[in-house]
Amino acid sequence: MSLFPPASCPRLVVKIGSALLVDPDGSVRRDWLAGIAADIAERVRAGQQVAVVSSGAIALGARRLGLAKGGRASLEDAQAAAATGQIALSQTWAEVLGAEGLTAAQMLVTLDDLEDRRRYLNAAATLDRLLSLNVVPVLNENDSVATAEIRFGDNDRLAARVAQAAGAQGVVLLSDIDGLYDRNPALPGAVHVPRVERIDARIAGMADAGSASGMGSGGMVSKIAAARIAAAAGAHLAIASGRVERPLSTAARHTIFVAEKAAPARKAWLAGGLTAKGTLHVDAGAAAALAGGASLLAAGTTAVDGDFARGDLVAIVGPDGGIARGLSEYDADEARRLIGHKRDDHAAILGYAPRAALVHRNHMALL
């Protein structure tokens, strides 16, 4: 049975890694890609709406330009390779999908496009309209302008964020590996994990950061991070091998990460945020209160890291690790002055009437 059949998954996001798209000699694996297009066409005819997150621009451009280290020797090389490779990659997608009677659309996004709430909603609206027209959006990170500080760095997490924006029920990460193993699959005795109900410390500890092909930037660490984002948005995520023909219609071994109950859209967006501007450290009592649905008060906050403004995304960390993400009601300097103090003291400290909490529960998502 194929992954995420149309009847149970009205919208699907498929991510394809660089090593699957580009041969070592720098040519596009066009026959394989045509098979993917045929799979997508079958699903669209069955009523499923499909978006594609396609890697390959840097790998394709680097080989065309003769750049060392797959175009990743420097930021400038990566940007030049991306600019060169993206136009060829987009043309190829338009041709293979066009041969199946489908229209392709290109969307290039940066991290900021999906981390800024207004731009995120604009991207979501564009995706929704394209999918409703049975167009196949082909997305990639805009590596020609992204910098090391403001980029996803891998298309696994981008695919999960796209699924969230599109309201998709399923994400398939096609890669050079057929799923999660309890250790590096190259090690003796490695055991495949077919299903993950909850991503805990044990599951996270199984990840291996390496990319087997040397072309891509995402290893298992990025795939588990993507699964967290997708699960919080109510989308199942599967890691499957693309080293077969027609991988979307072939029954093959894979790992599926089971979705949580979908959070409200705003809270799912907060939980999936990747660029927290700061960190609020809290004591055990505050951690327990947050778990019970309370807002974060200054009295239970023990330290403030980072430089952030009111309204910026911050991470909330307790004695046992990350608890939540939310929008700060204060800037970093004000928050530092308030930590450990009860609300009755805040007006005297700040010189004005304080707000109710450092992070209000309505602007917070538990992890």
Side-chain angles (χ1 to χ4, degrees):
M1 184 179 68
S2 62
L3 285 165
F4 305 132
S8 60
C9 180
R11 284 189 174 174
L12 176 70
V13 174
V14 179
K15 178 262 179 178
I16 300 173
S18 299
L20 299 176
L21 280 159
V22 183
D23 277 328
D25 66 0
S27 59
V28 175
R29 299 181 64 223
R30 194 174 182 106
D31 289 345
W32 181 87
L33 201 57
I36 290 287
D39 280 347
I40 292 172
E42 283 187 1
R43 288 170 174 267
V44 171
R45 286 192 291 269
Q48 192 172 55
Q49 298 170 342
V50 182
V52 174
V53 173
S54 175
S55 303
I58 292 178
L60 184 59
R63 282 160 177 77
R64 293 194 171 195
L65 296 174
L67 297 175
K69 297 184 179 179
R72 300 181 187 275
S74 68
L75 177 61
E76 291 79 9
D77 277 3
Q79 290 174 327
T84 304
Q86 187 62 47
I87 192 168
L89 185 63
S90 298
Q91 180 181 1
T92 303
W93 273 110
E95 289 172 354
V96 297
L97 289 170
E100 296 291 339
L102 297 175
T103 300
Q106 176 180 265
M107 288 183 66
L108 297 179
V109 297
T110 63
L111 179 63
D112 279 353
D113 292 327
L114 298 182
E115 295 288 277
D116 177 88
R117 182 66 176 168
R118 181 173 294 179
R119 287 155 69 181
Y120 170 88
L121 292 173
N122 287 338
T126 301
L127 275 170
D128 182 70
R129 184 57 178 149
L130 288 170
L131 290 167
S132 69
L133 292 169
N134 280 331
V135 172
V136 179
V138 180
L139 298 97
N140 197 3
E141 184 163 14
N142 194 353
D143 287 306
S144 62
V145 298
T147 66
E149 292 80 17
I150 52 167
R151 64 191 307 267
F152 280 92
D154 64 79
N155 274 355
D156 298 319
R157 292 180 297 174
L158 173 58
R161 272 300 226 179
V162 167
Q164 183 185 69
Q169 296 77 31
V171 183
V172 178
L173 304 181
L174 291 178
S175 186
D176 46 14
I177 191 169
D178 59 0
L180 177 68
Y181 287 76
D182 65 348
R183 68 201 76 176
N184 188 319
L187 297 176
V191 176
H192 182 265
V193 179
R195 186 179 178 89
V196 176
E197 297 284 348
R198 181 173 178 270
I199 303 172
D200 53 19
R202 181 181 66 88
I203 294 298
M206 296 177 183
D208 175 52
S211 175
S213 66
M215 287 189 188
S217 54
M220 193 55 65
V221 170
S222 74
K223 289 173 175 55
I224 288 180
R228 289 184 189 275
I229 296 169
H236 304 294
L237 182 141
I239 302 170
S241 174
R243 296 294 187 186
V244 295
E245 299 300 319
R246 304 286 300 269
L248 295 180
S249 58
T250 301
R253 188 161 68 172
H254 59 272
T255 297
I256 186 165
F257 293 81
V258 178
E260 303 168 13
K261 181 181 178 181
R266 181 177 174 82
K267 297 233 174 186
W269 175 77
L270 287 170
L274 302 174
T275 54
K277 297 292 183 66
T279 302
L280 304 179
H281 298 269
V282 304
D283 59 27
L290 294 178
S295 298
L296 175 61
L297 305 180
T301 306
T302 58
V304 175
D305 296 334
D307 181 16
F308 52 88
R310 183 188 180 199
D312 282 345
L313 181 67
V314 293
I316 302 172
V317 177
D320 298 323
I323 299 171
R325 287 172 177 261
L327 303 180
S328 177
E329 295 286 338
Y330 292 93
D331 66 30
D333 288 340
E334 290 175 326
R336 289 189 182 96
R337 293 165 63 192
L338 294 178
I339 59 174
H341 292 281
K342 293 183 178 179
R343 190 173 183 276
D344 292 344
D345 301 327
H346 291 186
I349 294 170
L350 297 174
Y352 64 82
R355 287 175 281 277
L358 291 187
V359 180
H360 194 277
R361 64 185 181 184
N362 290 346
H363 306 302
M364 183 193 307
L366 299 176
L367 302 178

